[in-house]
């Protein structure tokens, strides 16, 4: 489709006898942030590897910016940035040298490493060897490295996995800034909250297949169940929970009866989470 | 291949090498140690046979005549001092003549001559000295030997200009320096694979062939540069420099290919060492045939480094030219290209 940054057509890959990615097809529009959700082993990383030319699909094809990944890898790699799931930095080198190395590979002689390091919160640590960095700092440097060439498409594979809240939030801010810049972001994660917050659309992946692909709002509308949750006081100051489904003809009556017959302490609306929906669709959770 | 990208990757590898203290120290120490060993070893071979002589009745005149024929005879004033000199290694053998040696010779009586050898004197030396004494005694009777000997030297006559042990060691050290670099390069590559930095490189405009080109360039340059520097400093390039330089270059290509293989099995420095040391031992075997020429057997020629050692030895120590070493260089080229190509293939399979 014209204007699509990423197009996957019937991508298929297997490791030995194990099917990792099972004929998936989807497209991602330019400037869109797409979250790929799924538990470990669902096929997210294999999909990223095929999209970025690290793995050759057994069948199907991938197009990035209208170019076939298997044919135009050099041109495509000039336009994309990839942040890997596990840190793969040159740890004996400092942060600045790590970035400068990649800037030279991208032929960017005017590259400003300190400015990018400042952007990811590593100002003042540019000259420190990476081997002395914390996990969060390494991950921020990984994200920075993926942005060295101002990529049109940014692939981020579990960029916040295992990070402290501050580091994770810092990376989420960078992703939003990249979207503002106009980059297409392909984000794989099993953090449903993160995907919900950052993504224009999310794909649910399970056992190598995409089982749902839509905006978080639409998925919640389609699969979720909105409800009111109330805590009421019973005899002996004991608290009990009450749940009243919304979107039902009986909702007004049930709500009236609640306040008439019970002593309500707290009441709030509750929306289905992406994890609830994932479980509903696949019958399994996102973690594990 | 993209020269700009290869240059960038080479620059990175050189930076990583310079930050690996273990390999920097190993490389520097190796180079310095081999040079020190070379320069402290004797620069010439003393071919004179030194004998001690105790002759209470005076030295037979025939001994005066043979003094300038590779024999050096020192007269000693007592039999006890003679024995001591032999034990201390100052003489190959000690000859003690009886006081009436000349009288017995002149009257046709067989005198008994005591000959002392140190415990570690080789059997062939003992036999040679015994024969020498018998021959000299025969000549002393005034009778010429019943045969005329017509010596002919096949090849270059090395008499008086034997190859000193330190020059025999030059090819050995040069090969050791080359081979040591296989361990460094294999470690560098295996760490790139194990730490997955190669994945990060291969999603940039850098391609597998750029990566292999850069690693090949670094491996060949380091190994070749080091061996060449050593040979230049120890005077190994004084004769036939071009065949030696070509041999070292092809040897560097060969060891770089071998390091590609090691990188596929090793996971980090220690496992590369564990796999690499047996390989290094095998590759060094041909070098010892230079030190112990009799040890050369046919099967050694299946070890690729044989052709490197033999070329360097022939060219540096015997003045061998293109005509003498071209077959070796051809074999070395074949092995070098084959190992480099096969090593590249298995390496690519490892990081795919």
């Amino acid at each position: 489709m014209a204007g699509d940054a990423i197009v996957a057509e019937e991508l298929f890959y297997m490791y030995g006898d194990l099917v990792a990615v099972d004929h998936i097809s989807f497209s991602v529009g330019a400037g869109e942030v797409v979250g790929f959700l799924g538990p470990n082993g669902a096929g997210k990383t294999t999909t990223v590897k095929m999209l970025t030319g690290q793995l050759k699909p057994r069948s199907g094809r991938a197009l990035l910016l209208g170019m076939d990944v298997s044919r135009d890898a050099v041109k495509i790699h000039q336009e994309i940035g990839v942040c890997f799931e596990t840190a793969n930095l040159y740890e004996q080198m400092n942060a600045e040298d790590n970035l400068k190395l990649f800037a030279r590979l991208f032929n960017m002689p005017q590259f400003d490493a300190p400015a990018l390091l400042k952007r990811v919160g590593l100002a003042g640590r540019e000259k420190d060897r990476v081997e002395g960095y914390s996990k969060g700092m390494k991950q921020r440097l990984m994200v920075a490295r993926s942005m060295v060439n101002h990529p049109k498409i940014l692939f981020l594979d579990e960029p916040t996995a295992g990070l402290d809240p501050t580091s994770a939030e810092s990376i989420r801010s960078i992703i939003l800034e990249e979207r503002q810049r106009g980059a297409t972001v392909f984000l794989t994660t099993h953090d449903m909250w993160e995907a919900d917050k950052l993504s224009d659309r999310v794909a649910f992946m399970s056992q190598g297949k995409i089982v749902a692909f839509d905006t978080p709002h639409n998925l919640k509308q389609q699969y979720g169940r909105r409800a009111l949750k109330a805590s009421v006081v019973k005899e002996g100051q004991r608290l009990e929970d009450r749940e009243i489904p919304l979107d039902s003809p009986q909702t007004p009556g049930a709500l009236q009866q609640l306040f008439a017959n019970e002593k309500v302490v707290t009441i709030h609306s509750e929306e289905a989470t992406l994890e609830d929906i994932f479980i509903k669709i696949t019958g399994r959770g996102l973690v594990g | 291949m993209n020269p700009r990208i290869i240059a960038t990757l080479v620059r990175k590898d050189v930076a990583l090498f310079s930050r690996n203290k273990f390999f920097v120290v190993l490389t520097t120490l190796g180079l310095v140690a081999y040079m020190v060993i070379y320069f402290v070893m004797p620069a010439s071979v003393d071919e004179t046979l030194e004998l001690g002589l105790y002759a209470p009745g005076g030295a037979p005149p025939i001994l005066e005549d043979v003094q300038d024929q590779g024999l050096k005879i020192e007269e000693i004033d007592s039999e006890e001092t003679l024995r001591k000199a032999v034990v201390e290694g100052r003489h190959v053998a000690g000859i003690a003549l009886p006081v009436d040696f000349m009288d017995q010779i002149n009257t046709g009586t067989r005198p008994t001559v005591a000959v002392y050898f140190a415990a570690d004197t080789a059997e062939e030396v003992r036999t040679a000295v015994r024969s020498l004494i018998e021959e000299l005694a025969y000549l002393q009777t005034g009778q010429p030997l019943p045969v005329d000997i017509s010596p002919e030297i096949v090849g270059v006559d090395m008499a008086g200009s034997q190859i000193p042990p330190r020059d025999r060691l030059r090819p050995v050290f040069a090969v050791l320096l080359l081979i040591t670099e296989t361990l460094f390069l294999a470690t560098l590559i295996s760490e790139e694979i194990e730490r997955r930095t190669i994945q990060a490189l291969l999603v940039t405009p850098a391609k597998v062939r750029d990566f292999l080109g850069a690693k090949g360039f670094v491996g060949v340059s380091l190994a070749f540069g080091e061996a060449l520097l050593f040979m230049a400093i120890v005077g190994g390039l004084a004769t036939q420099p071009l065949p030696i330089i070509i041999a070292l270059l092809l040897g560097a290509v060969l060891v770089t290919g071998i390091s590609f293989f090691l990188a596929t099995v090793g996971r980090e420095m220690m496992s590369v060492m564990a796999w690499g040391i047996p390989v290094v031992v095998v590759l060094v075997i041909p070098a010892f045939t230079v030190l112990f020429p009799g040890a050369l057997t046919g099967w050694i020629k299946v070890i690729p480094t044989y052709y490197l050692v033999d070329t360097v030895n022939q060219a540096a120590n015997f003045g061998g030219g293109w005509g003498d070493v071209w077959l070796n260089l051809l074999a070395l080229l074949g092995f070098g290209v084959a190992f480099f190509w096969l090593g590249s293939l298995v390496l690519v399979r490892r990081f795919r």
Side-chain angles (χ1 to χ4, degrees):
Chain A
M1 194 192 308
D4 283 339
I6 304 171
V7 176
E9 291 176 353
E10 290 291 310
L11 285 181
F12 176 76
Y13 196 85
M14 54 197 298
Y15 297 102
D17 294 334
L18 179 73
V19 175
V21 174
D22 193 0
H23 298 97
I24 61 169
S25 298
F26 61 89
S27 60
V28 179
E32 195 178 6
V33 177
V34 164
F36 243 55
L37 279 163
N40 293 332
K44 305 187 299 290
T45 299
T46 304
T47 302
V48 171
K49 283 184 171 178
M50 285 192 284
L51 290 175
T52 54
Q54 297 174 71
L55 275 182
K56 194 176 177 197
R58 297 292 173 94
S59 66
R61 67 170 187 160
L63 302 173
L64 297 190
L65 304 167
M67 296 177 277
D68 192 321
V69 174
S70 57
R71 284 208 308 263
D72 300 308
V74 174
K75 281 185 197 166
I76 287 171
H77 287 160
Q78 190 70 44
E79 305 292 348
I80 67 170
V82 183
C83 177
F84 294 84
E85 187 177 2
T86 47
N88 55 356
L89 299 155
Y90 288 102
E91 303 223 347
Q92 303 97 319
M93 291 162 57
N94 65 38
E96 195 171 308
D97 287 345
N98 264 277
L99 296 188
K100 282 181 175 172
L101 164 67
F102 282 78
R104 279 194 291 271
L105 293 174
F106 284 112
N107 198 16
M108 301 180 68
Q110 306 301 320
F111 173 69
D112 187 353
L116 183 53
L117 288 168
K118 186 178 176 188
R119 200 175 148 203
V120 297
L122 290 174
R125 302 293 302 268
E126 302 94 334
K127 301 289 182 190
D128 293 353
R129 279 196 185 190
V130 175
E131 61 195 357
Y133 277 20
S134 67
K135 187 177 178 184
M137 290 165 73
K138 285 180 186 173
Q139 197 61 37
R140 278 183 272 163
L141 183 57
M142 293 274 291
V143 173
R145 188 179 69 184
S146 68
M147 300 189 308
V148 160
N149 57 329
H150 311 298
K152 289 181 180 159
I153 305 175
L154 193 52
F155 290 91
L156 303 170
D157 194 357
E158 307 278 3
T160 59
L163 295 189
D164 63 88
T166 311
S167 294
E169 195 51 41
S170 153
I171 288 174
R172 287 183 198 118
S173 302
I174 293 165
I175 294 170
L176 292 173
E177 285 169 26
E178 285 299 292
R179 177 166 67 176
Q180 286 287 100
R181 184 175 65 81
T184 303
V185 179
F186 191 93
L187 171 72
T188 68
T189 179
H190 53 239
D191 184 335
M192 51 79 200
W193 180 84
E194 182 173 275
D196 196 355
K197 187 176 176 186
L198 299 174
S199 309
D200 297 314
R201 287 192 296 156
V202 293
F204 286 164
M205 202 162 182
S206 177
Q207 296 176 323
K209 292 180 192 287
I210 293 176
V211 291
F213 197 173
D214 211 333
T215 64
H217 176 76
N218 286 350
L219 286 171
K220 287 172 191 171
Q221 285 290 315
Q222 190 178 349
Y223 297 101
R225 194 174 66 98
R226 299 186 306 136
L228 281 175
K229 277 219 163 181
S231 289
V232 297
V233 180
K234 301 300 286 183
E235 288 171 12
Q237 299 300 303
R238 186 166 47 85
L239 288 177
E240 277 187 10
D241 290 335
R242 297 282 182 269
E243 187 178 297
I244 300 169
L246 294 173
D247 311 319
S248 158
Q250 286 79 39
T251 302
L255 195 58
Q256 201 172 21
Q257 279 193 355
L258 175 72
F259 281 99
N261 303 332
E262 311 258 25
K263 188 178 178 185
V264 177
V265 182
T266 62
I267 186 164
H268 59 271
S269 63
E270 192 175 75
E271 206 176 36
T273 64
L274 289 179
E275 181 150 24
D276 296 333
I277 297 165
F278 188 90
I279 293 168
K280 193 168 180 179
I281 295 172
T282 66
R284 56 191 294 217
L286 277 166
V287 179
Chain B
M1 286 196 194
N2 184 325
R4 179 184 55 78
I5 287 175
I6 291 176
T8 300
L9 295 176
V10 167
R11 195 169 150 184
K12 180 259 302 173
D13 285 340
V14 171
L16 289 177
F17 174 77
S18 66
R19 282 162 203 188
N20 187 326
K21 285 182 186 142
F22 179 76
F23 280 111
V24 169
V25 170
L26 193 71
T27 302
T28 313
L29 266 186
L31 192 59
V32 171
Y34 295 151
M35 284 194 288
V36 168
I37 292 170
Y38 176 83
F39 284 113
V40 297
M41 290 191 79
S44 60
V45 176
D46 185 0
E47 296 178 69
T48 310
L49 191 61
E50 293 190 17
L51 300 174
L53 176 69
Y54 170 60
I62 190 74
L63 291 180
E64 295 292 325
D65 301 339
V66 297
Q67 280 276 27
D68 57 346
Q69 296 174 25
L71 265 183
K72 186 179 173 190
I73 298 173
E74 185 190 352
E75 280 202 57
I76 291 169
D77 54 8
S78 76
E79 199 163 346
E80 192 50 43
T81 310
L82 178 71
R83 289 169 64 105
K84 200 174 166 192
V86 170
V87 170
E88 288 172 355
R90 284 189 278 128
H91 301 297
V92 174
I95 304 166
L97 302 179
V99 67
D100 56 350
F101 176 78
M102 286 305 294
D103 293 342
Q104 289 192 53
I105 289 279
N106 292 334
T107 57
T109 313
R110 287 172 67 88
T112 300
V113 176
V115 184
Y116 300 107
F117 295 108
D120 59 351
T121 305
E123 182 55 39
E124 57 265 33
V125 174
R126 294 179 196 182
T127 307
V129 171
R130 254 198 323 265
S131 301
L132 176 71
I133 294 165
E134 285 166 0
E135 197 175 299
L136 291 176
Y138 188 77
L139 289 170
Q140 188 60 54
T141 62
Q143 298 181 48
L145 287 172
V147 291
D148 283 328
I149 296 170
S150 167
E152 185 180 338
I153 308 303
V154 180
V156 181
D157 186 1
M158 304 294 286
S161 57
Q162 290 290 327
I163 299 165
R166 73 179 199 176
D167 287 347
R168 285 192 180 278
L169 276 171
R170 279 190 305 211
V172 178
F173 288 154
V175 170
L176 278 171
L177 284 169
L178 282 179
I179 294 171
T180 307
E181 290 309 315
T182 61
L183 299 177
F184 156 67
L185 186 64
T187 300
L188 195 68
I189 298 171
S190 66
E191 285 183 351
E192 289 255 25
I193 297 169
E194 207 55 29
R195 293 178 181 174
R196 302 179 187 207
T197 45
I198 180 147
Q199 288 183 345
L201 296 177
L202 295 181
V203 291
T204 70
K207 297 291 137 250
V208 171
R209 55 183 177 271
D210 299 320
F211 179 83
L212 290 175
K215 289 287 184 274
F217 183 84
V218 170
V220 170
S221 303
L222 276 173
F224 174 65
E226 211 179 332
L228 189 66
L229 181 66
F230 171 79
M231 288 299 279
I233 291 173
V234 300
L237 302 176
T239 56
Q240 302 293 351
L242 209 52
I244 293 173
I245 290 170
I246 299 292
L248 293 178
L249 185 61
L250 294 176
V253 173
L254 170 72
V255 297
T256 300
I258 291 168
S259 71
F260 285 178
F261 278 100
L262 286 177
T264 61
V265 290
R267 302 211 166 270
E268 29 61 56
M269 192 173 76
M270 291 316 290
S271 68
V272 166
M273 290 286 173
W275 285 100
I277 285 171
V279 174
V280 166
V281 168
V282 172
L283 294 177
V284 166
I285 289 172
F288 289 99
T289 62
V290 174
L291 297 177
F292 313 107
L296 177 63
T297 54
W299 66 265
I300 282 184
K301 293 185 180 179
V302 303
I303 302 174
T305 42
Y306 165 78
Y307 302 95
L308 169 63
V309 172
D310 194 49
T311 303
V312 175
N313 186 39
Q314 281 196 48
N317 291 335
F318 297 95
W322 293 108
D324 302 302
V325 299
W326 74 272
L327 264 176
N328 274 352
L329 290 176
L330 202 62
L332 201 51
L333 175 69
F335 275 115
V337 169
F339 271 84
F340 197 94
W341 180 66
L342 289 171
S344 302
L345 284 185
V346 293
L347 197 54
V348 169
R349 283 181 65 86
R350 164 92 196 268
F351 56 67
R352 278 289 182 206

